[in-house]
Amino acid sequence: MESALVRRFNNFSDRLTVTEPGRQLQLALLFAITWLIAHPYLRLRHDGVLYFGQLLHNLDPTRLANDPFFRYGSQDNFSLFSTVATWATQVFGVFAAAPLLLLLTQTATAVAVVVLAFRLLGRTYAWFGALAVAAMPAWYGGWHIFSYAENFLTARSFAEPIILFALALLVADRRWWSLALLAVGAFSHPLMALPALIVWWLANALRDRRFYWFAALALIPVGLGLAGHAPFDKLFATYDSAWAERVVEVNGFVLPSVWPLVDWCYIAVDFIILLTIRHQSDSPRIRRLLEALMMTAAGSLILAEVGFTLLQNVLLTGLQTWRSLWLLHLTAMLFLPVLIIEALKRNDDCGRLLAPAWLMTMFASVSYAGPFTAGFAALVARRGTAPCPQLSTPLVHKALWFGVVLLVLTIIGRWTPPPEFAEHVLGETGYDYWRFIRTSAAQAPIPLLAGLLLLPLALQPVRRKWPLLGLALIGLSLAASVDQRTQWYQYIEQEKPADHPFLQHIAPGQEVYWDVELIVPWFVLGRPSYYHEDQTAGTIFNRESAMALSHRRKLLRYIEFQLSICGIQDTLEWKSQTQNRADCYPTDDVLYELCNSDDPPAFFVLRKELPAFMPLSSWNTSVPQGHDYRTYHLYSCQQIRDTMSAVTQ
């Protein structure tokens, strides 16, 4: 006999999966709300700073020409991103162009996700798949550095919606239109489009063996490499030991073998989900696509590792073929709600085991437990309609549901910000859960929030108007506040270097060491940065850049150590509410060693005033940075050398 719990589950899933226009509109609004919550515009960050720095360099080549990121060449020639973004920057300025272009690309990505979901899942489940893509963490690769639909603008933002539309065309059997669109995506970001092109080839080859002959096209880049055409000439270039050491040191995320175990668990969950769907699907087209995705992902991981570890090949490493994982993960998230809802609908023992197992997989996907819960669910799912006598016990059912509740509570506890987080990091007093959820890079609370918003839809008949009205009002309020830049980042992105007091002393082209984000010297001063870890992004492509920045990193090791100690002291004093904070700054001998080296910066900026040296200029920030207003002091290495030489004489 059906239990009350089972009947409620069946009622819940039946109410949600009706295909009436009213319910579809409600789900569409819920998807839009979840997408807006998960993708606010916070600021230019990550390698988005590098892309917009490239725009500043293109608009005025003299401004940043001496910066080590541009001095040795960048990868800007291989993308149309700069062409479009430069035009937008000239028309609107950086302050408006960055969020405007991100809004356009995010909208295109959201629409592309929905189109692909309808192609793969049909009308019944499409919105749930799209909702999972919006709500679930979007990381792929190692160390949670990259994700799809990022909330900052890069060339990836342009390429992703194009590629997703191309896959939707491929599923619709519009193979040549799909290929044409993938070619456009390749001009936006070749590294993102390459895995999609391989998926296109394999999906067609699995249907028609004649497509295997397309593999002969790989001879074209070989020929171009022999002819010396960039970047294919790198196919015959290898890393020497010093260069390879720098790659592992600062670009280790391109090497699958150094990724932590939890990242491999995350990948394993995606494979298990798609293998389960592939086993259950009766659509040859979808089965071929999933097989192509999994073959591409597995092959690309092997090629990425072999290309560096065994062959030390510059091009094979630089292609970063592991980026195929973004397609694997996005597709897995599309299908995960299907597995959960289908399990809820089953009125048998397997269904009562599958529902909590897949729910646990959803919440544990970014942990070590993910592969175990997904693997268990996949094994049960393979039984199809067969009974599960060995597992069908009340104790097992209760244990599984208890695990789901425990996981939810763990996530809530883990991602609830303490008061000092709200005040110190967000610049707020007390708790501000809404802002925390919207600014959380981990997106951990968002699946919970989306699930809570689903409840009123499931509990109310489709014809009720208030859920629709409520969702519409929430969506409008979120759309109006999509720009989440703080005052500090609004100031930076206005990019007005001519007004800055430091520029009375720093001539164009002179390098500045400033222990803050790379965007500050580039945008606030319009001057080259002496060193920042973000500038090492080109290490895998250019040996000169890799060795020059590595040398500077060694020169800075003592001063950065002392500055880190000062940062720890500041944090401890802030937590203890110390009124008379002790000054902390780099010692004179460390500064003199840096300034007297073979490659010193022309200037450096510190937060604390040095007792032995008079600053050339001081700058009181006109807007708060974090929880307070800050003062920065400018010094020159010539000043340090002259003073220290006079003292020693």
Side-chain angles (χ1 to χ4, degrees):
M1 179 178 293
E2 280 191 2
S3 67
L5 184 63
V6 171
R7 287 196 299 271
R8 282 197 291 270
F9 276 149
N10 289 338
N11 185 52
F12 177 83
S13 58
D14 289 342
R15 281 183 181 274
L16 282 180
T17 54
V18 296
T19 56
E20 294 184 18
R23 179 66 81 218
Q24 293 286 303
L25 183 57
Q26 290 171 351
L27 292 172
L29 280 171
L30 179 56
F31 166 73
I33 289 170
T34 307
W35 191 276
L36 287 171
I37 293 173
H39 301 91
Y41 178 64
L42 300 178
R43 65 186 189 275
L44 282 176
R45 65 181 186 88
H46 204 272
D47 58 343
V49 176
L50 301 179
Y51 279 101
F52 270 84
Q54 183 71 59
L55 299 187
L56 297 181
H57 180 60
N58 293 342
L59 293 171
D60 183 3
T62 63
R63 180 187 292 186
L64 300 176
N66 199 38
D67 190 276
F69 182 74
F70 303 107
R71 186 188 307 162
Y72 304 101
S74 65
Q75 306 304 306
D76 183 58
N77 295 333
F78 306 112
S79 172
L80 292 179
F81 170 83
S82 289
T83 303
V84 177
T86 299
W87 171 83
T89 302
Q90 289 174 319
V91 174
F92 302 105
V94 173
F95 183 80
L100 178 61
L101 289 175
L102 183 65
L103 177 62
L104 293 175
T105 56
Q106 284 283 345
T107 302
T109 303
V111 173
V113 166
V114 172
V115 171
L116 182 60
F118 270 88
R119 286 295 181 187
L120 289 175
L121 309 181
R123 186 180 178 87
T124 303
Y125 296 117
W127 288 112
F128 298 99
L131 188 62
V133 171
M136 292 296 290
W139 304 310
Y140 62 89
W143 299 343
H144 294 173
I145 292 177
F146 291 98
S147 60
Y148 51 76
E150 294 157 317
N151 57 4
F152 54 91
L153 190 69
T154 68
R156 295 186 295 276
S157 309
F158 282 49
E160 286 171 0
I162 297 173
I163 293 169
L164 293 177
F165 279 123
L167 289 182
L169 287 172
L170 178 62
V171 176
D173 206 20
R174 304 287 184 86
R175 64 175 70 171
W176 301 115
W177 284 107
S178 173
L179 181 61
L181 211 52
L182 287 174
V184 176
F187 282 107
S188 300
H189 197 299
L191 300 186
M192 296 295 285
L194 177 61
L197 286 166
I198 297 174
V199 169
W200 182 93
W201 168 61
L202 286 173
N204 283 289
L206 291 170
R207 177 183 179 183
D208 185 346
R209 293 180 178 273
R210 290 176 297 178
F211 276 86
Y212 282 117
W213 287 102
F214 275 58
L217 294 175
L219 295 175
I220 295 176
V222 174
L224 292 173
L226 289 171
H229 293 287
F232 304 106
D233 55 335
K234 302 292 186 183
L235 183 60
F236 302 99
T238 57
Y239 295 101
D240 56 50
S241 58
W243 188 6
E245 186 178 344
R246 300 288 82 75
V247 170
V248 175
E249 183 180 20
V250 299
N251 288 166
F253 62 87
V254 305
L255 308 175
S257 60
V258 302
W259 294 350
L261 178 60
V262 68
D263 292 335
W264 286 102
C265 293
Y266 193 54
I267 295 168
V269 169
D270 292 340
F271 271 101
I272 292 170
I273 291 171
L274 295 187
L275 283 168
T276 303
I277 292 294
R278 189 257 176 213
H279 174 73
Q280 295 180 352
S281 176
D282 56 1
S283 169
R285 199 173 296 170
I286 291 177
R287 290 165 66 98
R288 285 195 298 267
L289 177 65
L290 297 183
E291 290 170 5
L293 281 168
M294 290 185 284
M295 291 167 63
T296 301
S300 67
L301 287 169
I302 295 171
L303 182 60
E305 191 59 42
V306 169
F308 181 82
T309 304
L310 297 182
L311 303 179
Q312 297 281 285
N313 189 276
V314 175
L315 182 61
L316 294 181
T317 304
L319 287 176
Q320 302 175 54
T321 52
W322 52 268
R323 289 179 185 257
S324 63
L325 295 175
W326 84 274
L327 290 172
L328 184 85
H329 182 59
L330 187 146
T331 309
M333 294 302 99
L334 275 176
F335 280 107
L336 182 55
V338 177
L339 296 172
I340 295 173
I341 295 173
E342 284 295 317
L344 289 173
K345 284 186 172 183
R346 292 181 60 161
N347 184 24
D348 61 7
D349 293 331
C350 283
R352 286 186 283 276
L353 289 169
L354 282 171
W358 285 125
L359 281 168
M360 290 175 70
T361 298
M362 172 176 282
F363 290 111
S365 62
V366 292
S367 70
Y368 295 111
F372 296 103
T373 58
F376 169 76
L379 289 174
V380 175
R382 287 187 68 88
R383 298 182 63 91
T385 58
C388 307
Q390 296 180 347
L391 299 174
S392 179
T393 64
L395 180 62
V396 172
H397 299 163
K398 292 176 181 178
L400 285 169
W401 284 111
F402 176 76
V404 172
V405 175
L406 185 63
L407 275 169
V408 172
L409 293 176
T410 301
I411 291 173
I412 293 174
R414 178 181 178 185
W415 294 106
T416 297
E420 60 267 23
F421 177 94
E423 185 175 349
H424 184 58
V425 178
L426 300 180
E428 309 283 346
T429 300
Y431 290 107
D432 189 346
Y433 293 105
W434 185 249
R435 179 169 173 77
F436 173 76
I437 288 174
R438 298 204 66 192
T439 57
S440 172
Q443 298 181 357
I446 296 178
L448 300 179
L449 183 62
L452 291 175
L453 290 174
L454 271 174
L455 286 178
L457 300 187
L459 297 175
Q460 295 295 323
V462 176
R463 294 182 178 83
R464 291 287 178 88
K465 301 297 184 183
W466 73 264
L468 187 63
L469 179 62
L471 290 174
L473 291 175
I474 294 173
L476 288 173
S477 65
L478 287 172
S481 61
V482 69
D483 188 346
Q484 293 290 302
R485 285 176 289 188
T486 63
Q487 288 181 287
W488 172 246
Y489 288 107
Q490 288 180 21
Y491 171 80
I492 290 175
E493 292 181 27
Q494 287 181 5
E495 199 252 324
K496 296 180 179 179
D499 302 331
H500 203 280
F502 288 177
L503 297 183
Q504 300 174 15
H505 306 277
I506 308 174
Q510 290 187 302
E511 294 176 305
V512 182
Y513 173 66
W514 197 340
D515 186 33
V516 289
E517 294 176 87
L518 179 60
I519 193 174
V520 177
W522 279 6
F523 282 68
V524 175
L525 298 181
R527 296 294 186 264
S529 170
Y530 175 73
Y531 176 84
H532 191 278
E533 61 180 359
D534 288 350
Q535 292 166 300
T536 63
T539 294
I540 59 175
F541 303 109
N542 190 294
R543 188 185 191 282
E544 290 179 285
S545 173
M547 303 313 295
L549 287 168
S550 174
H551 179 58
R552 289 186 173 185
R553 187 181 186 185
K554 291 178 181 177
L555 294 176
L556 290 168
R557 62 188 183 277
Y558 296 121
I559 189 172
E560 288 194 337
F561 174 75
Q562 292 185 345
L563 288 173
S564 67
I565 297 297
C566 293
I568 294 172
Q569 178 177 307
D570 282 348
T571 301
L572 294 174
E573 289 172 345
W574 177 84
K575 286 187 175 182
S576 62
Q577 300 296 310
T578 303
Q579 297 298 318
N580 299 313
R581 299 183 183 180
D583 286 334
C584 182
Y585 35 74
T587 56
D588 296 346
D589 57 334
V590 167
L591 291 172
Y592 181 69
E593 181 180 347
L594 172 64
C595 290
N596 205 40
S597 66
D598 58 349
D599 188 17
F603 297 88
F604 57 91
V605 179
L606 300 174
R607 281 195 61 187
K608 299 293 179 67
E609 190 171 349
L610 299 173
F613 307 98
M614 179 71 67
L616 299 175
S617 180
S618 297
W619 175 49
N620 297 309
T621 59
S622 57
V623 294
Q625 184 178 356
H627 66 287
D628 60 3
Y629 293 84
R630 298 184 182 182
T631 300
Y632 292 99
H633 307 282
L634 177 69
Y635 299 90
S636 73
C637 265
Q638 185 62 51
Q639 171 191 13
I640 302 296
R641 288 192 294 266
D642 292 345
T643 303
M644 295 297 291
S645 297
V647 170
T648 56
Q649 289 178 354

